[in-house]
Amino acid sequence: MNYLEELNDAQREAVVNSDGPTLIIAGPGSGKTRVLTYRIAHLLKNGADPFGILALTFTNKASEAMRSRIEKISGSNARSLYMGTFHSVFARILRVEAPRLGFPSNFTIYDAEDSKSLLKTIIKEQGLDDKIYKPNLVYNRISSAKNALITPQAYATDGELLTEDRNARRPALGKLYQIYCERCFKSGAMDFDDLLLHTHTILEKFPDALYKYQHKFRYVLIDEFQDTNTLQYAIVRRIADVFQNITVVGDDAQSIYAFRGATIDNILNFEKDFPELKVYKLEQNYRSTQNIVKAANELIHRNRNQLKKEIWTDNSKGEDIRIVRTPSDNEEGRWVADSIQELKMREHYKNNDFAILYRTNAQSRAFEEALRRFNIPYKIYGGMSFYQRKEVKDLLSYMKLTVNHNDEEALKRVINYPARGIGQTTLDKISIVATNEGRRMWDVLENIFIYDFPSRTKNAIEEFVMMVKSFAALQLKMTAYDLAAHIGKTTKLIAELYNDKTVEGISRYENIQELLNSIKEFVEDDEVLEPISSEDAAGLANDKTLGSFLQTVTLLTGDEKVTENIDCVKMMTIHSAKGLEFKAVYVVGLEENLFPGAQSLYSMEDLEEERRLFYVAITRAEERLFLTYANTRYKFGQLNYCEASRFLQEVPENVVSYHGDLKKPKIQQKSEPVSSFLKIVAKPAFKPTVSNPSVSSNSEISNEPFIPDDANTLQTGMDVLHEKFGEGKVVSIEGNGANKIASIFFSAYGVKKIMLKFAKVKILTGGN
């Protein structure tokens, strides 16, 4: 096959000029993988030794796909390539070289769970508090140190790191790092980071090994170069130093993994290390419409630290990008589900043509619930369903046990979480006693003092039983939200998650807060979704108990299981979406302090990474792109007014349209320097300046608190203002006394049935 004929001019140039240091800047949808694949195939076609080619990727899937395509062009010698992920290739090298460092050739490789288990043992042996020295946190600290080329010895003498540890009340982190490495060495084991660090050490300490691999690998090629960290680049730079036939392919505009240790400086400063560098730019986009490409270009050009390029496409102009604002995060979920249903009917899209992209996993809940109501199958990509996440199930289990003490699955899940000295052996013994006596486990727990258990265990069980009973006694005195928050606080489950400041720990804490937010919405929701009688509506509206909420959740999460081969909507974080493409993409939650996140407002580098993340999100779309945000969102149990993301202001006006009568969002904080942001962030509270979609385009939400009028004075024909839905007109009022229900028509949301006793409305004009 003549593979060169399949390439455009820029791609062909990047493929055939295979000698010397080369940077291939590949924009989204520009055929990056094809160019890298064909460049390797071209080397083989022109006589390069396959054993002398080192090709590094970030996923096994990518390397396997590339090897398969290379083999179709150049034959079976593609099987001899040194191609794979950084970790797999360097593990292969270490099987030969590890004895130089005192490791056996058949060393064990620890995965993350193995490493954390070892750290847990060391922390316990050192007599340290595992609530302060959490294994997950210590593991991440050690991993970051290794990837920054900081050995235990260097860590122990680094004043800045030691000061950070002391300020965090973890002065023993350096010692734990040292002991951990000693234990791994003693066990003949390496973790994933060691595969990189020990390879680097061998190249540093043993000149003959460095000479060997520098002359073995005449060609070095790296995919997704913008995602490399300091350690990865240090290794390949050394290996490529003799022949300097190093090719790196990537896009600085898609560098979004700083939290994993990746550094954009590797690609931005590549030319400083290789002055003879040849640069090829792949700027033609084959994926997206002209409108989407134009929006992406204008957005990313605002970043200061970048390699300049101008993406273009021969594709059609396409539909306008739609910016959509909804009254609440729940309404955002409903709007997205409704829009998907509409496109399926009108344009005959399939479910798997759609992707919903969000900044954090916690945001998935509202969209999951909305899709279920529409019976639209979906899959959480790179994660799991919101209600299946461990921390969510933990708190839900406490709630279930509160409502039903005999729920043994819930009991077994939480009886020792957070740890209270009731281990698995004790639990197994309780289960055996219950089975032998034909009793429930809870019955045994209630009467624990008549059984043969250690006194310490009996006391711990009694405290647990009394705690759960205290929760149960509050069911009729507290709303579901107040009781759930009380449970989370009293069990110390929320504190346990809050104190874990790792990336994973923060995500888990956000998920718990989102669960509490959903309960708060359940309690405060004053609308009746189904057209039922006023008597039934009154009963539903009054039942804001924990049991009622749990029933709602159970009905939502009962039997929806999606497998890979089912046509389904994909839901994922934007980080998980990198490298994927979909006909229609919904980028949701575009609000200040969510996207960009509040933590990114304190440095230009972090803010620019957030903008690159938005760039990645919008360039996943082929045909249609929707950008949505909510006017209100629950956070920590409080209804917060949200401000449109500054990134929406950066989307060019001539490629967008707005949902309903919403006009261009008015955003105070455009892309200004960080110093001006800090004044805004420092304010105790801020109010939105965007107009309500249900209100005329010239009106703005007042900075004054929303104080509703007495809803009992409502009459048919009145014009009212609702806190969430904007302006509306009272169509009818039915029912008597405390059970009165008003049917109110809102131009953007149709008729809503609202119980007067819960209604939050201001009266604008008189009625009949």
Side-chain angles (χ1 to χ4, degrees):
M1 60 179 291
N2 191 346
Y3 54 93
L4 295 179
E5 291 181 0
E6 298 178 20
L7 306 173
N8 63 35
D9 292 344
Q11 291 172 335
R12 191 178 302 109
E13 284 292 308
V15 165
V16 300
N17 295 296
S18 52
D19 287 335
T22 303
L23 169 61
I24 301 174
I25 304 173
S30 63
K32 166 185 70 69
T33 302
R34 170 176 289 189
V35 168
L36 185 59
T37 301
Y38 285 14
R39 187 177 174 94
I40 297 172
H42 189 71
L43 284 170
L44 295 175
K45 281 280 192 179
N46 285 273
D49 179 5
F51 291 98
I53 297 176
L54 174 62
L56 298 168
T57 65
F58 274 86
T59 66
N60 288 311
K61 183 178 179 182
S63 62
E64 290 165 6
M66 286 173 58
R67 190 189 299 273
S68 176
R69 291 170 69 174
I70 293 169
E71 192 171 347
K72 290 179 181 178
I73 297 172
S74 58
S76 60
N77 58 355
R79 299 173 190 173
S80 302
L81 293 167
Y82 265 73
M83 174 180 280
T85 65
F86 281 86
H87 293 97
S88 66
V89 169
F90 295 153
R92 185 176 171 185
I93 290 173
L94 284 170
R95 291 298 178 196
V96 176
E97 306 297 342
R100 293 176 184 264
L101 300 178
F103 284 90
S105 294
N106 62 341
F107 59 85
T108 299
I109 299 177
Y110 281 171
D111 63 18
E113 292 308 311
D114 295 327
S115 296
K116 291 173 188 177
S117 177
L118 173 57
L119 284 168
K120 186 175 182 180
T121 300
I122 295 171
I123 291 165
K124 185 176 181 180
E125 290 173 353
Q126 292 296 307
L128 298 171
D129 186 347
D130 61 4
K131 293 182 175 60
I132 296 175
Y133 292 92
K134 294 178 179 292
N136 193 49
L137 183 147
V138 178
Y139 171 78
N140 280 282
R141 184 70 164 174
I142 292 172
S143 176
S144 296
K146 289 180 178 180
N147 283 297
L149 280 171
I150 301 172
T151 63
Q153 294 73 28
Y155 194 107
T157 58
D158 190 310
E160 186 176 343
L161 289 174
L162 297 178
T163 300
E164 284 180 12
D165 292 346
R166 283 194 298 270
N167 291 340
R169 296 191 303 119
R170 301 185 187 95
L173 276 173
K175 183 178 181 182
L176 292 175
Y177 184 11
Q178 176 71 40
I179 296 171
Y180 170 76
C181 291
E182 290 171 355
R183 289 289 183 84
C184 286
F185 181 78
K186 185 177 179 181
S187 300
M190 299 185 194
D191 63 23
F192 286 153
D193 298 313
D194 287 331
L195 298 176
L196 304 178
L197 185 60
H198 290 326
T199 299
H200 182 269
T201 300
I202 287 169
L203 298 179
E204 278 274 305
K205 288 188 173 182
F206 301 97
D208 61 319
L210 177 62
Y211 180 91
K212 173 183 175 181
Y213 291 104
Q214 283 180 333
H215 288 78
K216 175 178 178 59
F217 297 122
R218 182 174 289 268
Y219 294 95
V220 178
L221 302 98
I222 307 169
D223 191 18
E224 303 287 6
F225 185 61
Q226 76 281 348
D227 295 335
T228 54
N229 60 33
T230 301
L231 179 52
Q232 289 164 333
Y233 180 45
I235 295 171
V236 295
R237 182 184 171 192
R238 278 188 165 277
I239 291 175
D241 202 35
V242 172
F243 295 108
Q244 299 216 346
N245 291 325
I246 180 171
T247 300
V248 299
V249 183
D251 182 5
D252 59 295
Q254 297 184 65
S255 177
I256 59 173
Y257 292 116
F259 69 95
R260 293 182 187 169
T263 171
I264 193 173
D265 291 340
N266 287 348
I267 191 168
L268 294 180
N269 300 326
F270 190 60
E271 188 169 7
K272 293 180 181 178
D273 293 331
F274 296 94
E276 303 299 318
L277 184 70
K278 293 178 290 186
V279 179
Y280 300 96
K281 296 182 180 181
L282 308 182
E283 298 173 301
Q284 183 174 0
N285 180 292
Y286 291 93
R287 176 188 300 157
S288 305
T289 63
Q290 291 178 21
N291 281 343
I292 294 170
V293 169
K294 183 174 183 179
N297 274 332
E298 187 155 332
L299 174 83
I300 204 62
H301 283 169
R302 294 173 181 266
N303 273 9
R304 297 177 185 176
N305 297 317
Q306 62 173 292
L307 300 171
K308 293 293 184 182
K309 58 184 175 299
E310 190 71 29
I311 306 302
W312 60 276
T313 184
D314 277 337
N315 294 340
S316 65
K317 180 180 179 181
E319 299 287 332
D320 282 351
I321 297 168
R322 292 195 71 187
I323 295 179
V324 179
R325 187 173 78 117
T326 60
S328 68
D329 48 348
N330 274 351
E331 288 290 334
E332 183 183 32
R334 292 170 194 161
W335 189 91
V336 168
D338 183 67
S339 173
I340 289 173
Q341 193 80 312
E342 181 184 352
L343 280 175
K344 286 170 60 180
M345 297 291 290
R346 194 178 71 224
E347 304 292 340
H348 305 294
Y349 278 19
K350 297 178 180 178
N351 289 317
N352 57 22
D353 290 328
F354 299 95
I356 301 172
L357 309 183
Y358 34 75
R359 182 66 182 82
T360 67
N361 274 311
Q363 292 170 253
S364 74
R365 191 262 312 165
F367 302 97
E368 289 187 67
E369 293 180 2
L371 292 173
R372 283 172 174 142
R373 289 191 180 103
F374 278 84
N375 291 317
I376 298 173
Y378 67 88
K379 177 179 175 57
I380 304 289
Y381 193 100
M384 63 179 68
S385 174
F386 179 80
Y387 290 107
Q388 295 301 313
R389 292 168 191 162
K390 179 187 180 301
E391 58 279 6
V392 173
K393 292 187 75 171
D394 288 338
L395 185 50
L396 283 174
S397 293
Y398 269 114
M399 298 179 201
K400 290 177 180 178
L401 194 60
T402 297
V403 173
N404 175 16
H405 299 339
N406 296 321
D407 186 334
E408 294 195 354
E409 290 305 310
L411 172 64
K412 288 186 284 187
R413 186 176 187 93
V414 301
I415 191 170
N416 199 42
Y417 181 75
R420 52 177 60 89
I422 307 173
Q424 188 61 45
T425 301
T426 299
L427 195 57
D428 291 342
K429 188 174 179 181
I430 291 169
S431 179
I432 292 169
V433 170
T435 301
N436 291 341
E437 296 187 2
R439 308 179 73 181
R440 296 185 175 97
M441 289 179 69
W442 181 261
D443 297 332
V444 177
L445 295 180
E446 281 189 304
N447 298 281
I448 196 65
F449 282 98
I450 69 173
Y451 297 103
D452 182 22
F453 286 91
S455 296
R456 184 177 176 182
T457 301
K458 289 180 179 180
N459 291 332
I461 290 174
E462 183 184 36
E463 288 179 10
F464 175 75
V465 168
M466 295 304 295
M467 179 180 68
V468 174
K469 284 185 173 180
S470 73
F471 297 156
L474 296 171
Q475 287 186 82
L476 298 179
K477 298 178 182 179
M478 287 184 168
T479 64
Y481 171 77
D482 291 333
L483 183 50
H486 175 71
I487 291 170
K489 181 179 179 181
T490 304
T491 60
K492 296 185 170 55
L493 189 150
I494 292 177
E496 176 94 359
L497 297 172
Y498 177 78
N499 291 328
D500 185 352
K501 299 303 183 184
T502 63
V503 173
E504 298 87 347
I506 292 170
S507 177
R508 286 192 288 269
Y509 179 70
E510 288 175 346
N511 287 335
I512 284 293
Q513 291 302 328
E514 180 61 20
L515 174 61
L516 292 174
N517 292 341
S518 71
I519 302 173
K520 185 77 168 180
E521 289 175 351
F522 168 80
V523 169
E524 295 194 349
D525 192 3
D526 55 15
E527 79 172 282
V528 181
L529 296 177
E530 302 297 332
I532 54 181
S533 70
S534 58
E535 291 78 9
D536 290 338
L540 287 174
N542 286 323
D543 191 359
K544 302 296 183 181
T545 61
L546 194 61
S548 178
F549 172 77
L550 290 172
Q551 178 178 312
T552 302
V553 171
T554 302
L555 291 174
L556 277 173
T557 60
D559 58 3
E560 298 86 351
K561 292 186 179 179
V562 179
T563 57
E564 288 289 345
N565 60 346
I566 292 179
D567 177 33
C568 59
V569 174
K570 301 295 192 300
M571 296 172 58
M572 66 194 82
T573 64
I574 300 167
H575 284 100
S576 297
K578 190 166 175 287
L580 304 177
E581 55 189 45
F582 304 90
K583 284 187 178 179
V585 169
Y586 297 82
V587 186
V588 300
L590 280 159
E591 299 143 26
E592 287 293 297
N593 297 312
L594 180 57
F595 194 11
Q599 72 279 0
S600 69
L601 303 182
Y602 296 93
S603 78
M604 186 61 70
E605 290 77 14
D606 290 344
L607 185 61
E608 290 199 349
E609 173 143 339
E610 289 285 290
R611 185 176 287 112
R612 292 195 295 270
L613 191 60
F614 185 43
Y615 177 83
V616 168
I618 65 179
T619 55
R620 300 310 94 198
E622 298 175 0
E623 298 177 0
R624 294 176 184 269
L625 177 62
F626 301 87
L627 310 176
T628 74
Y629 64 107
N631 182 47
T632 61
R633 188 178 295 273
Y634 276 95
K635 190 171 184 181
F636 306 112
Q638 298 295 318
L639 184 66
N640 287 288
Y641 289 93
C642 304
E643 186 172 0
S645 169
R646 69 196 67 200
F647 296 151
L648 291 176
Q649 190 73 28
E650 299 172 4
V651 179
E653 180 78 27
N654 59 353
V655 301
V656 301
S657 61
Y658 302 94
H659 173 58
D661 57 3
L662 174 65
K663 304 303 180 185
K664 184 75 172 178
K666 298 178 183 179
I667 305 170
Q668 289 180 340
Q669 307 99 326
K670 298 176 185 176
S671 300
E672 302 169 2
V674 174
S675 58
S676 64
F677 290 0
L678 300 183
K679 299 174 185 177
I680 299 165
V681 174
K683 292 180 181 179
F686 64 90
K687 300 292 183 184
T689 57
V690 289
S691 59
N692 190 295
S694 300
V695 185
S696 65
S697 59
N698 294 323
S699 64
E700 295 183 3
I701 294 177
S702 170
N703 286 332
E704 297 299 319
F706 185 94
I707 303 175
D709 293 322
D710 182 1
N712 289 315
T713 63
L714 285 184
Q715 298 177 24
T716 301
M718 281 185 169
D719 292 320
V720 297
L721 179 65
H722 188 278
E723 188 177 19
K724 288 185 179 179
F725 305 125
E727 288 187 6
K729 183 178 285 292
V730 180
V731 177
S732 65
I733 296 177
E734 57 184 295
N736 298 304
N739 294 333
K740 278 187 178 181
I741 294 176
S743 295
I744 306 177
F745 174 77
F746 299 98
S747 59
Y749 303 99
V751 175
K752 299 288 183 182
K753 290 182 177 290
I754 300 176
M755 291 204 67
L756 295 192
K757 66 187 295 185
F758 296 110
K760 300 180 180 71
V761 296
K762 285 184 178 180
I763 298 173
L764 302 179
T765 63
N768 295 335

